[in-house]
């Protein structure tokens, strides 16, 4: 068995490499805020998110004693065949559900699903466990209300960067409650070791977002903070998407290996010449990744409709 990157990259993606290289050669790489003051400046200068058409429905739901804002994109002109709980990225300290509106509208239209995005509380004003508390509350609300609200009980979850971390945490929290209503997950280049103790985690040990999100936590290896340390058994099928130029590649490889060793059906897709966040960039490689994610979700929704894995 071979685990070199060339063995893990689908050859059909190789013709897209030149276009990716050309795009990134002209693009100035972004840099994460390195302090609270810099974070506030970046937030203040951030442009307003692009609106979707039709616009999202904004709603505040109550679950587990928490009030959580959601943005909902329902398919137009047809009944939803499932619900996708989307968790936005931004290092746990930036971003918003509105920033995913355009992508979520496209997903709702392409798959015929309702996409529900969580506006979780941001660090450092609201450090861990505020964000996973909000995401868990949104998931619990969907488990209880999806059938009545959307006419379906087929639930999936996904996230982008920090959102992937929170999606994994949400799956683990539901599993620990004995709840298995979510049948599939799509995780795009998440951060799974926030303790900076594994070799992969040490690559980002100096990032400010770790301190902002962890706050006063005494043990950053706590599985709710760093899912790489969790018991990963009895989770639904998971698609993992990451670029081979992502600083989080090793973290994702380690998580994929642990998931597989725990008996989880994990599908790891690695995209060549692609940095962190590449699925948010206007490249043929990003379009290929989005097509892959949609095909994978479609396939797993059909499998669930024919007889789900969970009770």
């Amino acid at each position: 068995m071979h685990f070199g990157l060339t063995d893990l990259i689908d050859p059909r993606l190789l013709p897209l490499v030149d276009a990716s290289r050309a795009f990134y050669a002209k693009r100035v790489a972004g840099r994460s805020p390195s302090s609270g003051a810099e974070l506030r400046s970046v937030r203040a200068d951030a442009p307003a998110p692009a609106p979707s058409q039709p616009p999202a429905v904004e709603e505040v739901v109550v679950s587990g004693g928490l009030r959580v804002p959601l943005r909902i994109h329902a398919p137009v002109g047809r009944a939803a065949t499932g619900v996708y709980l989307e968790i936005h990225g931004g290092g746990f300290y930036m971003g918003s559900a509105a920033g995913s509106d355009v992508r979520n509208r496209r997903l709702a239209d392409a798959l015929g699903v309702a996409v529900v995005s969580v506006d979780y509380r941001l660090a450092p004003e609201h450090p861990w466990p505020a964000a996973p508390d909000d995401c868990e509350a949104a998931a619990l609300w969907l488990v209880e209300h999806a059938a009545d609200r959307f006419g379906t009980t087929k639930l999936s979850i996904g996230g982008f960067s920090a959102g992937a971390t929170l999606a994994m945490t949400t799956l683990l929290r539901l599993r620990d409650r004995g709840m298995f209503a979510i049948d599939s997950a799509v995780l795009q280049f998440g951060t799974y070791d926030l303790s900076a103790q594994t070799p992969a985690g040490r690559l980002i040990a100096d990032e400010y977002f770790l301190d902002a999100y962890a706050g006063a936590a005494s043990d950053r290896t706590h599985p709710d903070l760093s899912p790489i340390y969790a018991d990963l058994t009895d989770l639904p099928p998971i698609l993992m998407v990451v670029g081979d130029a992502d600083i989080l590649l090793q973290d994702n490889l380690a998580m994929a290996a642990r998931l597989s060793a725990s008996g989880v059906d994990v599908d790891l897709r690695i995209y060549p010449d692609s940095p962190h966040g590449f699925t948010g960039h206007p490249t043929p490689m990003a379009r290929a990744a989005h097509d892959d994610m949609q095909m994978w979700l479609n396939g797993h929704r059909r499998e669930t409709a024919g007889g789900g894995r969970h009770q």
Side-chain angles (χ1 to χ4, degrees):
M1 187 174 292
H2 300 282
F3 289 101
L5 288 184
T6 54
D7 301 301
L8 296 174
I9 292 174
D10 190 329
R12 70 183 173 81
L13 298 172
L14 297 180
L16 307 179
V17 165
D18 287 344
S20 288
R21 289 175 178 167
F23 174 79
Y24 291 114
K26 299 176 183 177
R27 178 178 180 270
V28 177
R31 185 178 65 83
S32 299
S34 59
S35 67
E38 190 173 342
L39 172 62
R40 289 188 291 274
S41 176
V42 170
R43 285 176 175 172
D45 293 340
S52 64
Q53 292 298 329
V57 173
E58 299 180 55
E59 183 169 343
V60 176
V61 302
V62 179
S63 179
L66 292 175
R67 294 172 55 84
V68 182
L70 305 178
R71 297 180 71 85
I72 301 172
H73 298 267
V76 176
R78 52 178 165 162
T81 58
V83 182
Y84 181 76
L85 179 59
E86 190 264 351
I87 306 177
H88 72 81
F92 307 99
Y93 57 12
M94 294 189 297
S96 67
S100 299
D101 275 355
V102 172
R103 287 193 299 270
N104 288 342
R105 167 46 53 195
R106 289 173 182 162
L107 187 64
D109 291 340
L111 296 186
V113 300
V115 182
V116 177
S117 188
V118 190
D119 240 335
Y120 56 86
R121 288 168 290 171
L122 298 178
E125 295 86 354
H126 303 282
W128 175 84
D133 285 350
D134 290 348
C135 295
E136 179 188 23
L140 291 172
W141 179 82
L142 276 178
V143 171
E144 183 177 357
H145 296 285
D148 292 338
R149 179 66 186 273
F150 302 107
T152 177
T153 58
K154 300 182 184 70
L155 305 181
S156 54
I157 192 171
F160 179 104
S161 191
T165 313
L166 293 169
M168 174 60 76
T169 300
T170 302
L171 287 175
L172 293 168
R173 286 186 173 205
L174 293 185
R175 189 240 8 233
D176 290 348
R177 286 176 174 268
M179 301 175 70
F180 303 98
I182 294 179
D183 290 296
S184 57
V186 176
L187 308 180
Q188 300 178 56
F189 32 80
T191 304
Y192 302 111
D193 174 26
L194 279 79
S195 74
Q197 292 194 27
T198 67
R202 285 197 289 271
L203 295 176
I204 58 169
D206 60 348
E207 289 284 346
Y208 167 65
F209 81 84
L210 298 176
D211 293 333
Y213 178 55
S218 60
D219 180 8
R220 295 188 186 181
T221 67
H222 191 296
D224 199 61
L225 256 175
S226 296
I228 194 71
Y229 295 100
D231 169 10
L232 299 175
T233 58
D234 203 23
L235 296 177
I238 294 174
L239 172 65
M240 298 183 68
V241 169
V242 66
D244 70 353
D246 194 327
I247 193 171
L248 298 179
L249 173 62
Q250 291 188 34
D251 203 3
N252 280 252
L253 291 173
M255 176 57 87
R258 285 218 60 225
L259 285 166
S260 182
S262 299
V264 178
D265 177 3
V266 58
D267 186 345
L268 174 65
R269 309 281 182 96
I270 299 178
Y271 293 80
D273 280 72
S274 299
H276 189 70
F278 81 97
T279 56
H281 304 152
T283 66
M285 195 72 73
R287 290 193 290 273
H290 283 290
D291 288 344
D292 290 346
M293 288 185 276
Q294 290 178 15
M295 289 180 62
W296 190 91
L297 281 168
N298 243 342
H300 281 275
R301 283 192 302 117
R302 287 195 297 268
E303 289 176 13
T304 304
R309 166 183 174 274
H310 295 307
Q311 299 299 314

